Amino acid sequence: HGWQKGALKIDECCGYQFVTFEVFINVLRITSSSSPSLVYQYPLSLKSTKFTLKWKIDRALMHDLKHANEMKRFESAISGNMWVLGCVPNGVKKDNETTVFKLYLKLCALPPNVSRIKAKFNILCLETKKHLKYIYNDFDYKHKYWQTDKLCKRAYLFHNNNHSDGGEFDTLRFKAEIEIIEQYDLNEHELS
């Protein structure tokens, strides 16, 4: 996807004399321009088809989420060289009335000679006790994301005594259990 619109706005940089970027790049696939054959594939080795991903948003990160511009994304560490959980805490537009907290599961890499996978997963927010179960989704390099706004309301980031579900949380913890149930080769034939 490259650099996301809204990832860093001018008003976030104005107070600094220098801004330093640290970039990590994994080349996933290289295709020959003269033929459709693959020259290189990321050497992801699947030791298991089941993954558990836990992400704790601590107080410092909660502060950043509360003050983030719209479209700003935050992500967990990569699990199994394959998955991350992430969120867009203040939505995608400057509209405080309809802005939602979006949580997403993102595919970061596929094993060699696999074009697509079907995954079954559950995601839980421990603080809200909301649990989305038995979600089935296909992932490939063109369809890397699955997202929801059903696990955490944006109001949980901000103190609001009138909120019927309670006040703000100091931290948020998310847990995803993912199982790859089908894999497809480069010709879209089922492998598993």
Side-chain angles (χ1 to χ4, degrees), residues 15-31:
Y16 300 101
Q17 185 175 1
F18 299 100
V19 177
T20 303
F21 294 96
E22 193 171 318
V23 179
F24 298 93
I25 297 174
N26 282 331
V27 175
L28 301 175
R29 289 195 173 143
I30 298 174
T31 308

Side-chain angles (χ1 to χ4, degrees), residues 2 17 32 48 53 72 96 100 126 152 190 192:
Q17 185 175 1
S32 170
S48 173
L53 178 54
K72 182 86 167 190
N96 288 335
V100 296
L126 278 75
C152 183
E190 189 175 339
S192 49

